[in-house]
């Protein structure tokens, strides 16, 4: 998969994406990620990329021209197929389900807005999928883009050491993950559940499923109800 991030802060994105699991995945060739500076495409003599909003109001708006030209350069004037995503609190909230779908695509471009947003006309022209990471407002689309890239990349073959790791985790099958423990077996008087030390795989699996159901019911009633509804349909 190829991921291209269009941003005014490429170093901010690059620094995060060079570390840890995603950094290693890039080195191993599981995913190819490039961060492009929208400012490089400004035709303004001072390299400006933003201006005051028409109609007044506070803050600055990112101009259409540098964003459009950056995307045209990336896509070879629209000849290369890309799925364009615009990170915005006005978008649909990202879900694990959508992450799984996005992980099947070959080329994703992500537009990060900054300041008070981007000129509406470039959104109308490029028609990106609009994605939000939650009902709160950040100072820019970079952190949301990094959340999206991280969640998509970990679904790609070879990125997680154990490809099965994500099949049993929170949100993957509509349930929260069961509690996990590691050494020592007793810590501050708290013992690891006995069944996990038993080596009896069937009992362990049964316990984990029960815990997943119980946790989801307790912590995320909305997810639990959806799970029960889908379970009854199948
Ligand atoms: N840009 C600013 N806030 C955002 C959010 N919650 N999701 C996506 N992009 C954003």
């Amino acid at each position: 998969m190829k991921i291209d991030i269009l941003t005014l802060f490429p170093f901010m994105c690059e620094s995060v994406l060079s570390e840890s699991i995603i950094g290693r995945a890039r080195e191993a060739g599981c995913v190819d990620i490039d961060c492009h500076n929208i400012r490089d495409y400004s035709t303004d003599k001072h390299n400006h990329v933003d201006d005051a909003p028409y109609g007044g109001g506070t803050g600055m708006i990112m101009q259409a021209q540098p964003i459009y030209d950056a995307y045209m350069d990336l896509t070879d004037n629209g000849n290369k197929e890309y799925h364009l995503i615009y990170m915005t609190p006005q978008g649909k909230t990202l879900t694990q389900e959508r992450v799984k779908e996005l992980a099947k695509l070959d080329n994703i471009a992500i537009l990060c807005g900054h300041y008070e947003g981007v000129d509406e006309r470039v959104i109308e022209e490029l028609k990106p999928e609009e994605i939000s990471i939650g009902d709160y407002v950040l100072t820019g689309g970079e952190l949301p883009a990094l959340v999206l890239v991280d969640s998509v990349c970990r679904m790609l073959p070879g990125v997680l050491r154990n490809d099965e790791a994500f099949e049993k985790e929170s949100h993957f099958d509509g349930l929260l993950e069961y509690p996990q423990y590691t050494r020592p077996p007793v810590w501050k008087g708290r013992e690891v559940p006995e069944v996990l030390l038993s080596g009896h795989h069937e009992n362990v699996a049964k316990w984990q499923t029960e815990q997943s159901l119980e946790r989801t019911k307790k912590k995320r009633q909305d997810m639990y109800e959806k799970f029960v509804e889908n379970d009854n349909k199948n």
Side-chain angles (χ1 to χ4, degrees), residues 64-81:
Q65 175 271 317
I67 293 173
Y68 183 76
D69 287 1
Y71 190 62
M72 284 303 112
D73 188 26
L74 176 66
T75 61
D76 195 11
N77 288 314
N79 289 316
K80 251 194 235 162
E81 203 175 306

Side-chain angles (χ1 to χ4, degrees), residues 87-89 131-141 144:
M87 305 310 302
T88 165
I131 294 183
S132 164
I133 60 160
D135 287 343
Y136 43 84
V137 182
L138 300 166
T139 54

Side-chain angles (χ1 to χ4, degrees), residues 211-222:
Q211 290 289 318
S212 269
L213 280 162
E214 206 174 289
R215 284 207 143 186
T216 312
K217 192 174 177 187
K218 194 163 145 203
K219 295 188 182 194
R220 288 290 303 270
Q221 187 74 29
D222 57 323

Side-chain angles (χ1 to χ4, degrees), residues 3-9 12-14 16-17 22 33-35 85-89 94 99 102 108-114 131-134 136 138 140-153:
I3 301 177
D4 291 89
I5 303 178
L6 306 178
T7 168
L8 289 175
F9 301 95
M12 177 177 173
C13 300
E14 191 57 53
V16 172
L17 298 172
I22 307 302
I33 304 175
D34 282 319
C35 306
I85 295 168
Y86 171 42
M87 305 310 302
T88 165
L94 186 63
V99 166
L102 291 172
I108 293 180
I110 306 173
L111 171 61
C112 305
H114 220 90
I131 294 183
S132 164
I133 60 160
Y136 43 84
L138 300 166
E142 284 74 17
L143 290 174
L146 293 169
V147 167
L148 176 68
V149 170
D150 189 284
S151 61
V152 168
C153 285

Side-chain angles (χ1 to χ4, degrees), residues 18-29:
S18 305
E19 297 284 341
S20 186
I21 295 176
I22 307 302
R24 281 200 299 272
R26 290 171 78 187
E27 274 170 22

